[in-house]
Amino acid sequence: MIYRVLKAVLGPILWAIWRPRVEGLHHVPDTGPAILASNHLAVFDSVFLPLVVKRHITFIAKEEYFSGTGFKGWLTRTFVAAVGAIPVDRAGGDAAHTSLGTGKRVLSEGRLFGIYPEGTRSPDGRLYRGKTGVARLALETGSRVVPVAMLNTGELQPIGKRLPRVGRARIKIGPPLDFGRYAGLVGDRTVERAVTDEVMDALRKLSGQDYVDEYAAKVKKKGRD
């Protein structure tokens, strides 16, 4: 309910400020389950996509976003709830399992599940190696994967900037990917990697980003060492 109410109230305001331009919106199915797999350039990616897609999209978000105190904590909780996020403790050892369980439940209910295969924001605007969770979800649920490319959100909201600059957000959505040919091969690491790489290649073609065959989280960790 809060998703619909806040989207109805805040949606027109956000739309007027960032005037999102979306190409390929017709590729998002009107009904039934689908995985929206997006590159990740800015925190507001999780705002811009629900802004242009009519259906409710469920994302996962860091548990800390839901546990803050004071006015700032309340504002953050309200914000992440408004974009359909579900809290997940990503620091825990079973974080990936919890995330996949959430995705499976959402898809089994015939809804849309949003996921960032890179697992974190790109540290430099390039596209990084995808984690195989997106493949496992697709194979276990039979859901199609809709690739979504954020084209300039990293420019509107560079890392460290709380709010995006005023400007037109651009999004490109590609045709759904069907991995039915791999039915029954859940758990096969070679297949899961092949599916994930196909998703990432679709994102690369849509976004025009340079691809790096390395996990973004490891690159960020190197930068802190």
Side-chain angles (χ1 to χ4, degrees):
M1 178 63 72
I2 189 173
Y3 181 97
R4 293 195 297 270
V5 172
L6 289 182
K7 184 174 181 179
V9 174
L10 297 179
I13 299 174
L14 297 177
W15 191 284
I17 295 173
W18 287 290
R19 300 166 293 137
R21 176 183 296 167
V22 59
E23 179 182 340
L25 187 58
H26 61 282
H27 291 308
V28 179
D30 293 328
T31 60
I35 301 166
L36 303 187
S38 175
N39 62 336
H40 198 12
L41 301 175
V43 173
F44 256 57
D45 290 341
S46 298
V47 174
F48 292 132
L49 188 55
L51 195 59
V52 300
V53 174
K54 292 182 179 179
R55 295 179 62 191
H56 186 150
I57 307 171
T58 298
F59 291 92
I60 57 173
K62 292 188 295 184
E63 190 176 43
E64 302 92 279
Y65 290 158
F66 293 83
S67 57
T69 59
F71 176 75
K72 183 178 179 181
W74 172 84
L75 188 61
T76 301
R77 288 195 304 274
T78 302
F79 173 77
V80 291
V83 299
I86 292 177
V88 172
D89 183 3
R90 298 196 306 184
D94 62 347
H97 178 75
T98 302
S99 300
L100 290 176
T102 299
K104 286 166 58 178
R105 176 175 57 79
V106 169
L107 294 167
S108 71
E109 295 170 354
R111 298 191 283 147
L112 300 180
F113 185 70
I115 189 171
Y116 299 112
E118 293 169 278
T120 186
R121 282 176 295 163
S122 171
D124 53 18
R126 296 184 293 177
L127 184 69
Y128 283 82
R129 191 178 199 204
K131 296 186 176 182
T132 57
V134 62
R136 201 166 308 162
L137 272 178
L139 297 177
E140 289 190 5
T141 66
S143 301
R144 292 185 296 174
V145 179
V146 181
V148 178
M150 299 293 173
L151 301 180
N152 68 331
T153 55
E155 299 169 12
L156 294 176
Q157 187 186 24
I159 292 176
K161 189 175 180 63
R162 292 187 177 182
L163 291 175
R165 303 185 180 104
V166 175
R168 171 161 283 182
R170 294 186 291 115
I171 303 170
K172 191 172 185 180
I173 303 175
L177 304 174
D178 189 338
F179 297 105
R181 63 189 183 277
Y182 294 120
L185 296 177
V186 178
D188 186 315
R189 293 185 179 182
T190 301
V191 170
E192 290 180 355
R193 173 45 56 190
V195 169
T196 303
D197 288 346
E198 187 173 334
V199 172
M200 300 313 292
D201 190 55
L203 290 177
R204 179 188 61 81
K205 291 175 180 177
L206 282 174
S207 67
Q209 292 170 280
D210 290 330
Y211 179 74
V212 181
D213 193 21
E214 189 173 5
Y215 293 117
K218 289 186 177 181
V219 173
K220 288 183 176 181
K221 186 176 184 301
K222 289 178 183 177
R224 292 192 296 265
D225 291 343

